[in-house]
Amino acid sequence: MCTLELRNLRKVYSNVEVIKGVDLTIKDREFVVFVGPSGCGKSTLLRMIAGLEEISGGDFMIDGVRVNDVPPDKRGLAMVFQSYALYPHMTVAENMAFALRLAGVPKPERDERVMVAAKTLQLDALLERKPANLSGGQRQRVAIGRAIVRQPKAFLFDEPLSNLDAALRVQTRIEIAKLHNDLKSTMIYVTHDQVEAMTLADRIVVFNAGKIEQVGTPLELYHNPANLFVAGFIGSPKMNLIAAEVRSSDGRTSVLTLEGGSLFSVPKALVPGQKLTIGLRPEHIAVVAEGGMAGRVEVVEHLGNETIAYASIGAAQPLTVKLPSDSDVRIGEMLHFASRGQTASLFDEAGSAIMSPSA
Amino acid sequence: MTKPTTAPPHRKKLMHTWPLLTPTVGVLLLWAFVPLAMTLWFSFQRYNLVDPTISGFAGFNNYKFLLESPAFLLSIVNELVLVGAVLIITLVLGVAFAVLFDQEFFGRSVARLLVIAPFFVMPTVAALIWKNLLMDPVNGVFAFVARSLGFTPIDWFTNYPMAGVVMIVAWEWVPFATLILLTAMQSLDRQQVEAAKMDGARGPQILRYVILPHLARPMTIVLMMETIYLLAVFAEIFVTTSGGPGNATTTLTYLIYLRALVSFDVGGAAAGGVLAVILANIVALFLVRTVARNVDL
């Protein structure tokens, strides 16, 4: 059992507040991913949870016990560092057994627990090697092994894949997902990569400037972003965000004038004259024969499995459209675009979502 | 692209490097091998500056005379005590200062400058300051402190001459050890320390399992560099004790000086010089072995 509870957690560095009051409950066996741009405070928050950074305000509870002033090793959490932080002069086995050795666990038990962890991670052939003689992926696994051996209440991962190459990153990501499934323990994972967040998380916490923007399952964030920041952050290619004004509304549907002059109707009652931002995912836009938004194709990217087109519709940003790979759009072509289904998100002037039309 | 007239690049390189090396190698030959050869030559000569009539080939007599004199064995013991004690003190304090000055605190850069400062004081000046201002049994600061606390002041150079010399030399060399080890501390991966904290290591254990292994290599470098210079310590002994009382602080280096420029026995001094070279090489051999072990981390 391990439930982590963050109550109005704050961190202040010499008058600069970097964590501005975070409330979050992480349930037992949950895989929570903290995601956000660089400098948003997600790593700092993880280090506060680990006990490596002092908590300036609020309460941090593990299983209902306040642990603000408990030293890191007594919190029962294990951390996997970005640089792996293996002890270079110790062998793989010694690295993994270090915590147990300090805790005074007798050698036979130590060896057994190291062996079990090594087998799960396919490290058993490397136990006598030094970290310098391991590849990046192997070092990563040793770092995870060192955490597993301690049988912690929860695992903390601080951008663990950012030092690996792309192919290895995908593979290790799958291994971590498998590991969570096998160990059934609570995990907190920090990353700036939204793909890692979407694929691994039970719940994603999106951070921006020291505050939580939204908490939800990957699909909740994808379908119902709470605000413009989350809308722009989750999804690739990015959601099209276009300024718009309500032109008319008949009580059931409203017609919007988009920046650039195109008209767009949404099944929602809105106040005419209201200024808002409409969000359209590139994968939810289709090419139609006529009507909709007209735009000239400026750039076409053929990715093999799909084709991305960027069309100028007169707005500040070109409209990004995801098309099938066999689509034969050409640069300079004039096309008409329409939203597929009723999948537009609307945001008011403050950037908060107006209850999505499909909801 | 490939022209048949162009010579292969590696051949060109071979032709051009040796003229560039020649000046260095030549200077090295002049500076190292000529004195060594002369020393070897003198060590087999009967050669006394006071009496020019004593001359000619001496065979191994100079060596025999030196090895049979009780002063020689004592000088080697003194040499090893001095070098060993200073090495231990500088390494222990060096590690302590390196860890301490690596921490964040107010005025750190000034403090770092001050801890390095003794290194810039020349040995003669350092020895004079310690002898006359600090360790003097009547006017020295140490004596003043001892008296004001109700103790009898220690007359260092009469009662504990070797300890006195060791203190001065160690004071000069702690900055060097600190400088090298502090630089090494700055390259320590902070996440390793944090990982150790998460693993349950406290201060002494972090020192034992993370910091000391990280410093092993720079410590060997300090050990090697200092040994080279400490074997040649002279000014501090000359200024403070002149090798005395008796032979208590006469190291091999100082003994050679006594033979050559007090007894004017150039032949005997040269023999001492040759033995010093052999001793230094034995020490170097041990050190190189330790380094070789440590480098394979």
Side-chain angles (χ1 to χ4, degrees):
Chain A
M1 265 300 289
C2 180
T3 310
L4 307 177
E5 204 179 338
L6 285 60
R7 284 190 201 152
N8 198 21
L9 228 48
R10 284 168 193 283
K11 177 73 191 175
V12 182
Y13 285 117
S14 53
N15 301 330
V16 184
E17 198 171 37
V18 288
I19 302 287
K20 298 165 186 164
V22 167
D23 287 289
L24 183 68
T25 304
I26 295 159
K27 294 189 285 267
D28 186 35
R29 296 179 181 184
E30 194 173 24
F31 198 130
V32 170
V33 175
F34 291 178
V35 71
S38 307
C40 68
K42 57 191 190 299
S43 276
T44 309
L45 187 64
L46 189 77
R47 293 167 54 81
M48 286 159 73
I49 291 172
L52 296 170
E53 294 279 352
E54 226 173 278
I55 294 168
S56 314
D59 299 310
F60 172 45
M61 332 272 282
I62 299 179
D63 293 333
V65 181
R66 188 175 184 272
V67 293
N68 281 33
D69 304 313
V70 174
D73 57 307
K74 298 276 183 277
R75 293 188 185 190
L77 310 174
M79 183 144 163
V80 177
F81 291 86
Q82 185 176 0
S83 70
Y84 318 140
L86 301 179
Y87 312 119
H89 54 283
M90 294 185 200
T91 63
V92 168
E94 285 167 342
N95 259 288
M96 287 166 71
F98 186 59
L100 302 181
R101 187 167 147 204
L102 290 178
V105 175
K107 190 160 171 35
E109 193 193 331
R110 242 153 55 192
D111 290 348
E112 198 194 313
R113 276 164 73 174
V114 167
M115 206 58 212
V116 170
K119 282 217 173 93
T120 358
L121 295 163
Q122 288 124 48
L123 286 169
D124 32 346
L126 307 172
L127 283 177
E128 293 313 311
R129 294 230 200 137
K130 295 266 175 76
N133 302 323
L134 299 176
S135 71
Q138 289 167 337
R139 283 181 211 180
Q140 176 63 72
R141 292 216 297 278
V142 176
I144 295 173
R146 192 168 61 179
I148 293 177
V149 166
R150 290 182 52 199
Q151 300 171 345
K153 291 181 190 167
F155 288 86
L156 312 176
F157 293 91
D158 187 7
E159 309 216 11
L161 306 186
S162 52
N163 289 350
L164 300 178
D165 63 56
L168 207 52
R169 204 176 297 171
V170 174
Q171 192 193 325
T172 314
R173 199 175 75 203
I174 294 166
E175 275 171 21
I176 290 176
K178 222 186 285 170
L179 197 71
H180 177 243
N181 203 35
D182 294 344
L183 295 175
K184 306 234 182 309
S185 59
T186 313
M187 292 189 177
I188 305 179
Y189 186 108
V190 165
T191 181
H192 59 264
D193 183 324
Q194 51 134 330
V195 179
E196 281 172 32
M198 296 295 280
T199 50
L200 288 170
D202 292 327
R203 270 198 309 163
I204 297 179
V205 183
V206 182
F207 281 92
N208 185 32
K211 279 188 306 215
I212 293 182
E213 292 283 352
Q214 192 175 1
V215 183
T217 65
L219 289 183
E220 272 168 24
L221 298 195
Y222 177 80
H223 290 300
N224 301 315
N227 51 47
L228 279 175
F229 180 82
V230 178
F233 196 81
I234 301 287
S236 174
K238 275 177 71 169
M239 184 185 250
N240 293 294
L241 297 169
I242 307 157
E245 193 179 331
V246 181
R247 181 182 155 119
S248 62
S249 180
D250 65 3
R252 298 243 323 278
T253 55
S254 310
V255 177
L256 311 178
T257 312
L258 304 189
E259 185 188 2
S262 307
L263 297 181
F264 194 94
S265 78
V266 288
K268 187 159 183 66
L270 293 163
V271 185
Q274 188 187 356
K275 286 196 192 325
L276 39 74
T277 304
I278 182 164
L280 292 168
R281 294 229 176 256
E283 51 272 39
H284 295 158
I285 299 174
V287 177
V288 291
E290 55 183 10
M293 300 166 279
R296 192 176 295 281
V297 177
E298 287 181 326
V299 178
V300 179
E301 293 173 342
H302 294 284
L303 301 180
N305 60 337
E306 64 201 20
T307 298
I308 314 275
Y310 300 88
S312 165
I313 54 164
Q317 296 294 323
L319 186 75
T320 313
V321 184
K322 204 186 247 187
L323 299 167
S325 59
D326 54 0
S327 155
D328 58 351
V329 288
R330 289 183 201 291
I331 293 173
E333 205 174 343
M334 198 70 184
L335 291 175
H336 294 270
F337 303 99
S339 160
R340 255 192 278 151
Q342 299 172 334
T343 47
S345 307
L346 297 174
F347 304 92
D348 63 21
E349 271 183 294
S352 304
I354 302 169
M355 276 313 281
S356 139
S358 57
Chain B
M1 181 70 201
T2 44
K3 285 179 190 167
T5 48
T6 321
H10 70 272
R11 196 176 161 76
K12 255 175 133 179
K13 205 173 156 195
L14 272 179
M15 282 168 65
H16 284 293
T17 42
W18 82 261
L20 295 170
L21 280 171
T22 312
T24 321
V25 175
V27 167
L28 263 178
L29 276 175
L30 275 175
W31 278 1
F33 287 96
V34 171
L36 184 67
M38 283 176 76
T39 308
L40 269 170
W41 169 251
F42 287 141
S43 72
F44 291 105
Q45 294 291 311
R46 290 198 287 166
Y47 186 179
N48 193 306
L49 292 176
V50 184
D51 189 348
T53 59
I54 306 171
S55 65
F57 188 64
F60 282 95
N61 274 347
N62 284 330
Y63 290 94
K64 195 162 163 269
F65 184 65
L66 196 68
L67 288 168
E68 278 171 359
S69 97
F72 176 73
L73 192 68
L74 182 64
S75 76
I76 288 185
V77 171
N78 283 339
E79 184 90 63
L80 294 178
V81 167
L82 175 69
V83 172
V86 172
L87 280 177
I88 291 168
I89 294 172
T90 52
L91 278 177
V92 169
L93 288 182
V95 169
F97 284 148
V99 173
L100 191 69
F101 287 96
D102 188 50
Q103 312 292 318
E104 286 281 349
F105 59 88
F106 179 75
R108 182 172 74 166
S109 40
V110 175
R112 278 184 180 176
L113 189 68
L114 287 177
V115 82
I116 306 301
F119 199 48
F120 300 112
V121 180
M122 56 189 92
T124 321
V125 176
L128 280 171
I129 291 173
W130 276 78
K131 183 190 181 187
N132 297 323
L133 294 181
L134 297 176
M135 295 164 92
D136 189 281
V138 180
N139 303 315
V141 174
F142 292 174
F144 170 76
V145 172
R147 266 197 301 274
S148 48
L149 293 174
F151 297 106
T152 318
I154 300 166
D155 187 352
W156 288 94
F157 295 117
T158 308
N159 299 322
Y160 308 101
M162 187 49 97
V165 174
V166 165
M167 268 165 75
I168 298 171
V169 179
W171 179 81
E172 289 170 341
W173 284 95
V174 164
F176 174 74
T178 308
L179 187 65
I180 302 279
L181 297 176
L182 183 60
T183 320
M185 272 306 286
Q186 286 164 359
S187 71
L188 174 64
D189 180 3
R190 301 292 131 163
Q191 292 197 341
Q192 260 180 48
V193 177
E194 291 181 341
K197 274 188 197 161
M198 296 285 299
D199 276 343
R202 295 294 154 81
Q205 287 154 333
I206 292 177
L207 183 72
R208 161 81 183 76
Y209 293 110
V210 180
I211 294 176
L212 283 182
H214 176 75
L215 291 181
R217 205 182 304 193
M219 275 168 82
T220 356
I221 289 166
V222 168
L223 194 75
M224 230 163 58
M225 304 274 294
E226 282 195 7
T227 308
I228 293 169
Y229 289 101
L230 292 177
L231 283 171
V233 161
F234 175 80
E236 293 84 344
I237 301 171
F238 183 74
V239 169
T240 54
T241 62
S242 303
N247 283 331
T249 52
T250 301
T251 61
L252 188 53
T253 316
Y254 202 78
L255 184 72
I256 295 167
Y257 158 76
L258 289 179
R259 282 289 142 97
L261 296 166
V262 177
S263 317
F264 299 112
D265 175 11
V266 176
V274 172
L275 292 174
V277 169
I278 293 169
L279 178 76
N281 275 287
I282 292 170
V283 174
L285 188 77
F286 278 110
L287 284 175
V288 167
R289 282 198 177 170
T290 334
V291 174
R293 252 209 319 276
N294 269 324
V295 164
D296 184 29
L297 274 174

